Every structure is written in structure tokens, then in C-alpha cells.
Amino acid sequence: MGVVETTKIRARQTAQEVELPLGRIIPGDCIKAMRQLPDACVDMIFADPPYNLQLGGDLNRPDGSHVDAVNDDWDKFDDFAAYDCFTRAWLSEARRVLKPNGSLWVIGSYHNIFRVGAAMQDLGFWLLNDIVWRKANPMPNFRGTRFTNAHETLIWASMGEKAKYTFNYRAMKTLNDELQMRSDWVLPICGGQERLRKDGAKVHPTQKPEALLYRVMLATTNKGDVVLDPFFGTGTTGAVAKRLGRQWIGCEREADYREAAVERIEMALPLDESALRTMQSGKSAPKVAFGTLVETGMLAPGTELVDRKGRYRAQVRADGSLVSGKHSGSIHKVGALLQDAPSCNGWTFWHFEQGNDLKPIDAVRQTYLLATEP
């Protein structure tokens, strides 16, 4: 073995011994930040890169009020060539730090996602799915010149055609009321108390809802896995990772975003061990899956459910499944098993305590429908 080869091996071993900055945000440009990480050190990457929106002028609602649009410097590029160069650079670093069995998620709009997808294929990533996030409450097209922009696209990719990757199929099916999870996801945009504001203004113009990251992380990572977000923003990835028992690393150049993210993640409460255990093995769709109420935080994992007469109790898990003694499964399956019945309508069978009253979980579903009604 020559001197050059020996030096390379030693350098690689030294890099692998670098302590990962788990639970920390690396400040600065994401490309330089990722270069501080050793090869093959993360299990999954979720990337929400600049969309290169190319906006010109202000946008106002019909009542004259101003629309908060993305006009920050981080979303401005001289031309498509400059954006493509930036895209290839950060994707190359992403590929270097991903483990051989890791996976990459990228979210974008029609402005950039096709260019990003092509670059991913050029660099050797194998596209597994494109997911359409259909927004339950999108912003209308105020000028009436185009269709309402009601969705964004996520690309999920492995390191290569033959690469193994994590996919918790059974957990996704349980989350979706025992129906195979499809590639179109209906989730509301970030709003209400979840939307971070400072002095009345949004801290970040494109803050993603925690429900979206919850589904991504539950589907393609396991407890203890390391998740990297190169465009950390206000820390949605970190907050959800903490809740789900995953490790996280962030990269973010904007100090205001870093400050907001740290404060937010400190307040996030991790789920207890029993709630983190998810289903591992193996009719028309309801308007709302029970798992949607869990991932949007309307019913927290760990919540205890009970039937109206108080005979049976079950605990909600992170993927929307229930566990009651030796029985586990969907709200319908567990209800049927406990009663030794052929079927059960879990929506009306299961209740939760609210003060001194018992409320059917269907009441939470109706509240969700009202809150997300277009």
C-alpha cells in the first residue's frame, strides 16, 4: 500500500471520529456547514431549499392589505445557472454525509422542484416517490391570473437503485386508518399557535407545518436515527425530531431563524417510550384519518382513550395506532378485538376525558374539519 493510499485511509478514519453536533445548529452557509460533518454520518436528510421564486413587485389582497411574500436575500439568485450550481453543490454534500442506506427528502414548488429533481438524478440519487402536499387551506390567487397554488411537491430518494432504505409501511397504513398511504397528502399550512411570530410579523415566510415533518420522519426513520436539515429555518425538523425520539442536526445562516429555532425546540416535549412504539408488520377512505389528528397535535400520543361505559382503555401511539394490553392496531381494530366483535366504529366507540366529561374522538375530527375547511 502506497503512502497516498495510507494517508487517505487515515484521513477518512479521523473524519469518522469527529463528534457529531447532535442537537445543534451549525451557523453559516449550508454547504460550508455540511463540510464540517464526516462521511456517511446521517440517516435521513430533509431539505427545504430556497425556491428561487423570482418575485417582482408587491402582492396585495383585494382589500388592499399586503401579502407576506418571500422577498428575502436567501431566495435571490442571478439566474437559473447560479441556482443550478448552488443546487448541485449542496446536493453533493448531502450525498457525501448520507449513510448508504439513508434517504433524502426535498420539498419545493413549481419554481424549483423540477430542476432539483434533475440534479438529484444526475448525482446518482434514485427517486422513490414524488409526494404532493395538497394544502387544505391554500392562499388564493388574488389577481385571478392563474390557478390557485394549492400544493407543493416533495421528492423522496435513496442513495441508488439497489440501496436499502427505511420505510415504515405498516406505521403509515395505521396512520391512515388501515388504508395504504398514498402519495397525495392533504395537510393544512402552518398557522395558528404553531406559526412563529415576532412583533406581529411572521418569523419565517415559508415555515412548514409540523404535521408534514411528522409524517416524513415517522415513515422513513427509526427511533435514535440522525436527521439533518441543511435549511433549518425556525426548526420544524428539530422540534418534530425531539418529539419522535430522533437525533437532529441543523444548518442555518440567518441568526434570527437560529434564535427562534432554539427557543422553539427547547419547548418541544419528547414523547414517552410507550407512545413511540409503532406498528411494524403487517371501503372508502374517511374524510379524516385518525392519524391526522395525532400528527397535527389535536390528540397527543400517549392520550388514554376509554369507551363510554369505562370497560376498556387504550393508549394512543405516535403513528395513530392504539395499544390495549395484548391488542394493538387501528381505532377500529382494537375496539373490535376488545369486544370480540366482527367490527367496530372506533370514532364513536372511543372517548377521551375533557374535564369531567367524556368526549368521543369523532368530536375532535369534526373540529379538525371545521378548522381546515377551505
Side-chain angles (χ1 to χ4, degrees):
M1 182 181 293
V3 175
V4 174
E5 287 80 7
T6 304
T7 302
K8 287 182 178 179
I9 290 174
R10 286 175 178 168
R12 193 178 303 121
Q13 290 172 339
T14 301
Q16 297 296 346
E17 292 168 2
V18 174
E19 184 178 351
L20 292 180
L22 299 177
R24 286 170 45 199
I25 307 171
I26 306 174
D29 171 78
C30 70
I31 299 167
K32 293 180 180 178
M34 281 192 284
R35 286 174 182 160
Q36 300 179 36
L37 301 175
D39 296 352
C41 64
V42 301
D43 298 284
M44 191 267 275
I45 293 175
F46 180 87
D48 183 10
Y51 287 6
N52 192 26
L53 294 179
Q54 312 144 60
L55 296 179
D58 292 332
L59 179 62
N60 296 311
R61 298 181 179 87
D63 63 3
S65 60
H66 181 68
V67 176
D68 290 332
V70 182
N71 55 9
D72 305 83
D73 288 340
W74 51 258
D75 194 56
K76 296 176 182 177
F77 296 84
D78 291 338
D79 49 33
F80 285 131
Y83 186 80
D84 292 345
C85 182
F86 166 75
T87 299
R88 288 191 295 271
W90 76 257
L91 280 174
S92 296
E93 283 303 309
R95 186 169 180 82
R96 182 185 64 79
V97 300
L98 265 173
K99 295 178 182 178
N101 296 336
S103 65
L104 167 68
W105 286 83
V106 184
I107 186 170
S109 69
Y110 68 88
H111 303 86
N112 73 322
I113 197 64
F114 304 108
R115 309 186 78 87
V116 174
M120 289 170 68
Q121 289 180 309
D122 289 344
L123 289 170
F125 287 102
W126 187 258
L127 307 193
L128 298 168
N129 274 118
D130 65 319
I131 304 292
V132 175
W133 167 32
R134 187 156 63 88
K135 301 174 182 178
N137 49 345
M139 181 186 296
N141 184 274
F142 295 112
R143 293 175 178 169
T145 56
R146 304 183 188 183
F147 296 108
T148 296
N149 255 348
H151 78 278
E152 292 184 29
T153 301
L154 298 93
I155 297 177
W156 176 40
S158 66
M159 291 286 279
E161 182 179 3
K162 304 298 183 181
K164 295 180 180 179
Y165 53 88
T166 297
F167 179 51
N168 298 318
Y169 168 81
R170 192 66 185 83
M172 288 298 96
K173 189 174 180 181
T174 306
L175 191 70
N176 198 41
D177 270 1
E178 294 303 317
L179 293 173
Q180 189 177 75
M181 183 73 77
R182 296 170 21 144
S183 62
D184 53 335
W185 298 353
V186 181
L187 296 167
I189 61 176
C190 185
Q193 293 185 342
E194 186 183 336
R195 169 66 76 172
L196 301 185
R197 296 181 181 274
K198 186 176 183 180
D199 300 326
K202 296 176 183 176
V203 175
H204 195 294
T206 63
Q207 181 182 335
K208 296 300 181 289
E210 290 191 9
L212 183 69
L213 270 296
Y214 188 107
R215 188 173 295 187
V216 166
M217 224 170 284
L218 198 66
T220 58
T221 65
N222 296 309
K223 184 177 180 294
D225 280 357
V226 178
V227 178
L228 168 67
D229 188 335
F231 307 94
F232 201 62
T234 53
T236 303
T237 298
V240 175
K242 183 178 178 181
R243 284 174 58 201
L244 290 177
R246 276 63 167 167
Q247 302 281 359
W248 62 269
I249 302 170
C251 306
E252 179 53 54
R253 75 179 206 180
E254 303 293 330
D256 288 347
Y257 296 164
R258 295 197 301 269
E259 181 181 346
V262 169
E263 182 178 345
R264 174 188 187 182
I265 295 168
E266 285 178 350
M267 295 176 64
L269 297 176
L271 303 181
D272 63 45
E273 201 69 27
S274 60
L276 282 175
R277 287 196 296 269
T278 58
M279 301 292 291
Q280 297 298 323
S281 58
K283 308 169 183 177
S284 60
K287 291 184 179 179
V288 179
F290 180 68
T292 299
L293 305 184
V294 179
E295 65 187 350
T296 54
M298 299 192 74
L299 270 176
T303 299
E304 187 175 64
L305 302 182
V306 62
D307 72 300
R308 168 56 74 178
K309 296 181 179 180
R311 296 167 299 173
Y312 310 109
R313 292 183 178 272
Q315 187 184 61
V316 178
R317 287 173 166 175
D319 62 354
S321 64
L322 301 187
V323 59
S324 178
K326 64 180 180 179
H327 301 303
S328 62
S330 70
I331 56 173
H332 315 295
K333 179 181 178 181
V334 172
L337 289 171
L338 289 172
Q339 300 176 89
D340 195 23
S343 63
C344 171
N345 183 349
W347 291 109
T348 55
F349 178 75
W350 290 112
H351 294 65
F352 65 99
E353 294 182 356
Q354 190 174 70
N356 295 323
D357 295 329
L358 283 178
K359 299 283 187 181
I361 58 175
D362 189 52
V364 184
R365 177 169 65 164
Q366 298 306 318
T367 300
Y368 175 86
L369 288 170
L370 288 172
T372 58
E373 189 177 47

